[in-house]
Amino acid sequence: MARKNASDDLLAPVTLAVGQEELLLDRAVREVVVAAKASDADTDVRDLTPDQLQPGTLAELVSPSLFAERKVVVVRNAQDLSADTVKDVKAYLASPAEEITLVLLHAGGAKGKGLLDAARKAGAREVACPKMTKPADRLAFVRGEFRTAGRSATPEACQALVDAIGSDLRELASAVTQLVADVEGTIDEAVVGRYYTGRAEASSFTVADRAVEGRTAEALEALRWSLSTGVAPVLITSALAQGVRAIGKLSSARGGRPADLARELGMPPWKIDRVRQQMRGWTPDGVSVALRAVAEADAGVKGGGDDPEYALEKAVVTIARAARSGRRA
């Protein structure tokens, strides 16, 4: 999980989140926002990308308010800020305003290092959000997620979860959340096995693969077989979510060799090749539609609907249709 420095005041004038692990960066932002809103429910939150933060924009954002409200100003990808905007930020770091928390998200590395150094010199609270490339790091992350949830999981269960899910921290965090919500008592390897490995995993991902490939009839056939053999509906929605997210991540990534994309996206190279084949026919709008369908199905199978099977069938049909949307254009 994200590592923080000794001065861990969430409402410090400046928080510097450094790294490329998106989940940890998002959590660093969320922690500050939650703390600010706990202090002042009317906190104004501004979440900006480099193209939105032009020279002079920061000065406007941090200028005194008539109502003296608390503000949180989030700057993403700070390493990509223009030279003039970097000057504005550095000037602000020298004299930060009261009741305002500036959160800088920086990838680390050589690009934009001057701003990184300036924030550190100014005494910014720092949160390390490194990309977790080692299995041991991901294992430690899973253990930390269970501890944070106040639940006990055996070492074997944590390892089995990492082996089954892979390197995507969002998926690992989601899996822990699901297990904590569904299972009472200590979570052991057998529980993880029932949810995420073996025949259930294979069949649920078959449903997802056929759906994102636009093969409606085959996806529905796989869905009905999975349900008839006792696969938990939540496993199928999880597989559908992973399949659609992989399409979205790869379609928005820069081109390159599978090995390079694998490092950038946290997927194994073989999965890059598979997703490349599956993403033909997808459009950005199709991905959005499919993600909404998955969210609705997830709510339906977790008690938000009367018929989980129908919720899954509806999601599969919608995803398969979205997979073909670009071919009709």
Side-chain angles (χ1 to χ4, degrees):
M1 62 180 56
R3 296 188 300 275
K4 304 164 188 175
N5 63 6
S7 178
D8 197 27
D9 177 9
L10 290 168
L11 297 181
V14 181
T15 285
L16 178 64
V18 184
Q20 299 180 43
E21 188 56 68
E22 290 185 7
L23 173 65
L24 301 183
L25 290 168
D26 287 346
R27 284 184 174 181
V29 172
R30 187 168 66 247
E31 285 181 343
V32 172
V33 171
V34 169
K37 287 185 175 292
S39 175
D40 181 353
D42 295 323
T43 294
D44 181 20
V45 180
R46 304 296 179 91
D47 199 322
L48 306 169
T49 55
D51 60 302
Q52 295 173 311
L53 196 65
Q54 300 298 320
T57 304
L58 182 63
E60 296 177 8
L61 291 173
V62 301
S63 60
S65 166
L66 178 64
F67 302 102
E69 64 185 359
R70 178 175 289 281
K71 291 183 181 179
V72 175
V73 179
V74 180
V75 179
R76 297 183 182 272
N77 298 313
Q79 73 278 358
D80 295 330
L81 292 173
S82 68
D84 288 338
T85 302
V86 168
K87 291 180 182 178
D88 289 350
V89 176
K90 287 182 177 179
Y92 177 77
L93 291 174
S95 182
E98 292 185 9
E99 299 300 308
I100 292 178
T101 298
L102 176 64
V103 184
L104 298 174
L105 275 57
H106 195 293
K111 187 176 183 182
K113 190 173 184 298
L115 179 57
L116 194 62
D117 292 341
R120 286 169 171 162
K121 186 176 180 180
R125 166 183 174 264
E126 186 167 343
V127 183
C129 306
K131 201 75 175 176
M132 294 192 180
T133 58
K134 297 179 180 179
D137 292 337
R138 293 192 288 273
L139 182 60
F141 171 79
V142 168
R143 289 171 175 165
E145 291 292 287
F146 280 118
R147 282 197 300 270
T148 300
R151 294 296 299 278
S152 176
T154 67
E156 294 79 10
C158 294
Q159 184 64 62
L161 197 59
V162 172
D163 291 342
I165 301 297
S167 60
D168 191 316
L169 286 202
R170 290 189 189 278
E171 297 299 337
L172 285 169
S174 177
V176 170
T177 299
Q178 178 181 314
L179 289 169
V180 167
D182 293 354
V183 180
E184 296 182 357
T186 299
I187 296 165
D188 58 21
E189 187 176 9
V191 169
V192 174
R194 289 200 301 273
Y195 271 75
Y196 291 104
T197 60
R199 186 177 66 181
E201 180 187 31
S203 60
S204 60
F205 280 99
T206 297
V207 176
D209 285 342
R210 299 297 85 80
V212 300
E213 290 162 5
R215 297 153 67 176
T216 308
E218 294 177 45
L220 288 172
E221 181 181 359
L223 172 63
R224 288 161 189 154
W225 183 88
S226 297
L227 293 173
S228 69
T229 56
V231 176
V234 290
L235 289 184
I236 299 174
T237 56
S238 176
L240 290 171
Q242 290 184 52
V244 175
R245 286 174 189 156
I247 296 287
K249 288 168 67 175
L250 189 56
S251 62
S252 61
R254 301 187 300 272
R257 299 176 304 168
D260 296 330
L261 288 170
R263 285 191 293 271
E264 179 183 343
L265 301 179
M267 298 181 189
W270 64 264
K271 189 171 184 179
I272 296 291
D273 289 333
R274 174 185 289 178
V275 176
R276 270 180 168 166
Q277 295 175 356
Q278 294 174 332
M279 64 188 287
R280 296 167 186 162
W282 280 91
T283 65
D285 286 343
V287 172
S288 297
V289 168
L291 286 173
R292 286 196 296 272
V294 170
E296 290 173 3
D298 189 59
V301 303
K302 291 181 177 177
D306 297 327
D307 190 343
E309 184 172 339
Y310 172 76
L312 286 169
E313 288 184 355
K314 182 180 178 182
V316 165
V317 170
T318 302
I319 292 167
R321 185 181 298 125
R324 300 191 300 270
S325 59
R327 301 174 196 170
R328 299 192 297 269

